[in-house]
Amino acid sequence: MITLSEENYLKCIYRLWQDKGQKITPTAIAESLGNNPASVVDMIRKLTDKQLINYDKKKGVELTAQGQKDATMIVRRHRLWEVFLLEKLDYHWDEIHDIAEELEHIKDATLADRLDKFLGFPEYDPHGDPIPKANGKMAKRYSTTLADVKTGGQCRVVAVKDTTSQFLQYLQKLGINIGTKIQLIEKISFDNSLVISIDGAEHKTVSQKFGESLLIDM
Amino acid sequence: MITLSEENYLKCIYRLWQDKGQKITPTAIAESLGNNPASVVDMIRKLTDKQLINYDKKKGVELTAQGQKDATMIVRRHRLWEVFLLEKLDYHWDEIHDIAEELEHIKDATLADRLDKFLGFPEYDPHGDPIPKANGKMAKRYSTTLADVKTGGQCRVVAVKDTTSQFLQYLQKLGINIGTKIQLIEKISFDNSLVISIDGAEHKTVSQKFGESLLIDM
DNA sequence: AAATAAAATTAGGTGAGACTAATTTTATTT
DNA sequence: AAATAAAATTAGTCTCACCTAATTTTATTT
Ligand SMILES: [Mn+2]
Ligand SMILES: [Mn+2]
Ligand SMILES: [Mn+2]
Ligand SMILES: [Mn+2]
């Protein structure tokens, strides 16, 4: 049996692996989960014993085939519940992440599949992240961010990389949603701030961090 | 903050209090939860410190006003999720209890109310138990069992007192559901077995325990 | 009332999952 | 290469929620 904490660690490792192709270190995991590195070392031992990860000082932490499978199914449950909360219970997109963080741990052989069917087999969650199918396959995951767009370039928001309510509420205030069209007017070389036009409206300036948190399609 | 275990204890005490009007002892709680009496004594101390119960060797365990309120809200969540699982995800009534046992612990200020609305404000759960409203009020709770019916008496099943899949599957096999009409043909005085006719069909014999697990309306 | 049985409680212990503080290893500067 | 900084690890502690075994209290028989 896999515990709730183990699941959260697995999911965290999975996310770090998808995000950056970099080496996954104990410190990175600790930061991401808000835990102490010493606790992470304990858990690395546990997950290694359970053959869900491999750890090598050179290569860092890597998911085993089983670990990847498990992580994918946790992500599947998380994203399906997010769709449920938004579409059926009328939550806003900045409220659903934390609740899904708990719902994802409910284990029942057929629950995810039934929920999937009930929701009409959605491809993406409300933040634009692809929902893994029962077989682990999933739709395309975008990786280009607004910060990668060249000056003058036009793009369309396809997903958010940051799901904190601070970021999502800021997006709401700016009128940005999945599907919104953005044009990059200018990149300020001093601090990489971005001057953008949202849906053709007047120019607004956002930070580099902001740009790196929005996934787009050109 | 109230933990998952504390919630399970509270709900257990609430159920024992509703079921039998008897004194609630550590042993009774231990049996009901499948825990050791020593563990129950630990938890009694914790819940007493949190002012959710009172314990007196004479009177046994009693819920405080706050404890009652909390327990009622856990029950509300449990029963609402059961309705969701049955009606929206097409589970059978013998599969939903254990999943709801986990879902009930997910805490979010508005989740239960949204779910309630989404489900159309159901009065009863799939086992015939009344669902507490947001204000704690709930529809009538039946207390007469099939074992209380007099020979020749006619009644209608309104709820099940036992939600184990063993019992529910047995009911399924007998063709008994909420709403089914049952006539008590004879009570065997030797062991209180009951000879019944289900929806006017041929006579069948069931045990006393069975009779005490079915709540009916005359 | 004394003996016996049952229930409640205490004492001490375990494993999970976190922590802090100290130490060791590895990487980066100077 | 030595010094310094950062990262990883170890050692020891804590809380939660359970356990077993022993003891004390309460109830039931004889
Ligand atoms: Mn989680
Ligand atoms: Mn999401
Ligand atoms: Mn529960
Ligand atoms: Mn029920």
Side-chain angles (χ1 to χ4, degrees), chain A residues 78-79 82 97 125 127 129 163:
Chain A
H78 183 101
R79 295 183 182 165
E82 283 192 342
H97 182 80
D125 86 357
H127 306 110
D129 293 311
T163 57

Side-chain angles (χ1 to χ4, degrees), chain B residues 60-146:
Chain B
V61 175
E62 281 178 347
L63 292 166
T64 63
Q66 186 59 50
Q68 251 173 74
K69 212 181 271 181
D70 286 1
T72 308
M73 286 305 115
I74 304 164
V75 167
R76 169 170 162 79
R77 296 195 295 264
H78 183 102
R79 294 181 183 165
L80 283 171
W81 279 117
E82 282 192 343
V83 173
F84 170 74
L85 292 170
L86 189 104
E87 293 197 351
K88 305 298 180 181
L89 301 192
D90 301 322
Y91 276 99
H92 294 133
W93 75 342
D94 61 308
E95 301 174 307
I96 59 183
H97 182 82
D98 291 347
I99 310 176
E101 199 58 47
E102 302 188 46
L103 284 163
E104 71 189 358
H105 302 292
I106 289 171
K107 275 174 289 293
D108 173 79
T110 63
L111 184 54
D113 294 347
R114 286 168 188 267
L115 190 60
D116 197 11
K117 183 181 175 194
F118 175 63
L119 297 170
F121 305 104
E123 294 273 321
Y124 290 92
D125 86 358
H127 306 110
D129 292 310
I131 300 174
K133 297 288 164 199
N135 62 14
K137 297 243 188 311
M138 67 179 111
K140 183 187 169 164
R141 197 195 158 70
Y142 294 88
S143 59
T144 319
T145 71
L146 182 60

Side-chain angles (χ1 to χ4, degrees), chain B residues 25-27 37-38 41 45 55:
Chain B
T25 62
T27 328
V41 170
R45 190 158 303 125
Y55 179 43

Side-chain angles (χ1 to χ4, degrees), chain A residues 43-60:
Chain A
M43 188 55 91
I44 284 175
R45 191 159 302 126
K46 261 185 81 185
L47 293 175
T48 303
D49 289 349
K50 291 200 176 182
Q51 315 221 47
L52 296 171
I53 62 171
N54 283 128
Y55 179 43
D56 181 283
K57 266 132 290 204
K58 306 271 171 187
K59 289 192 272 177

Side-chain angles (χ1 to χ4, degrees), chain A residues 27-215:
Chain A
T27 328
I29 297 170
E31 243 164 51
S32 171
L33 289 174
N35 281 353
N36 191 290
S39 314
V40 175
V41 170
D42 284 351
M43 188 55 91
I44 284 175
R45 191 159 302 126
K46 261 185 81 185
L47 293 175
T48 303
D49 289 349
K50 291 200 176 182
Q51 315 221 47
L52 296 171
I53 62 171
N54 283 128
Y55 179 43
D56 181 283
K57 266 132 290 204
K58 306 271 171 187
K59 289 192 272 177
V61 175
E62 282 178 346
L63 292 166
T64 63
Q66 186 60 50
Q68 252 173 71
K69 213 180 273 180
D70 287 0
T72 308
M73 287 305 115
I74 303 164
V75 167
R76 169 171 162 80
R77 295 195 295 264
H78 183 101
R79 295 183 182 165
L80 284 171
W81 280 117
E82 283 192 342
V83 173
F84 170 74
L85 293 171
L86 189 104
E87 293 197 350
K88 305 297 181 182
L89 302 193
D90 302 321
Y91 276 100
H92 294 132
W93 75 341
D94 61 307
E95 301 173 308
I96 59 183
H97 182 80
D98 291 348
I99 309 175
E101 199 59 47
E102 301 186 47
L103 284 163
E104 71 190 359
H105 302 293
I106 288 169
K107 274 173 289 291
D108 173 79
T110 63
L111 184 55
D113 294 346
R114 285 169 189 266
L115 189 60
D116 197 12
K117 183 181 175 195
F118 175 63
L119 297 171
F121 304 105
E123 294 273 320
Y124 291 93
D125 86 357
H127 306 110
D129 293 311
I131 299 174
K133 297 285 161 199
N135 63 14
K137 297 244 188 305
M138 67 178 111
K140 182 188 170 169
R141 198 197 156 68
Y142 294 87
S143 59
T144 318
T145 71
L146 181 61
D148 301 323
V149 177
K150 283 173 192 60
T151 304
Q154 175 85 27
C155 65
R156 191 175 49 85
V157 176
V158 294
V160 291
K161 236 180 147 172
D162 182 322
T163 57
T164 60
S165 57
Q166 295 92 61
F167 181 58
L168 296 175
Q169 280 170 12
Y170 184 24
L171 286 177
Q172 211 70 55
K173 217 172 87 183
L174 291 170
I176 296 173
N177 274 293
I178 305 296
T180 300
K181 287 207 164 40
I182 296 180
Q183 192 179 10
L184 183 62
I185 306 299
E186 191 192 348
K187 192 175 280 185
I188 310 286
S189 59
F190 166 61
D191 59 1
N192 289 314
S193 285
L194 308 169
V195 180
I196 59 175
S197 165
I198 299 157
D199 274 331
E202 87 275 28
H203 300 178
K204 292 211 168 126
T205 306
V206 294
S207 71
Q208 178 182 20
K209 186 179 173 194
F210 181 98
E212 288 169 346
S213 302
L214 262 193
L215 290 165

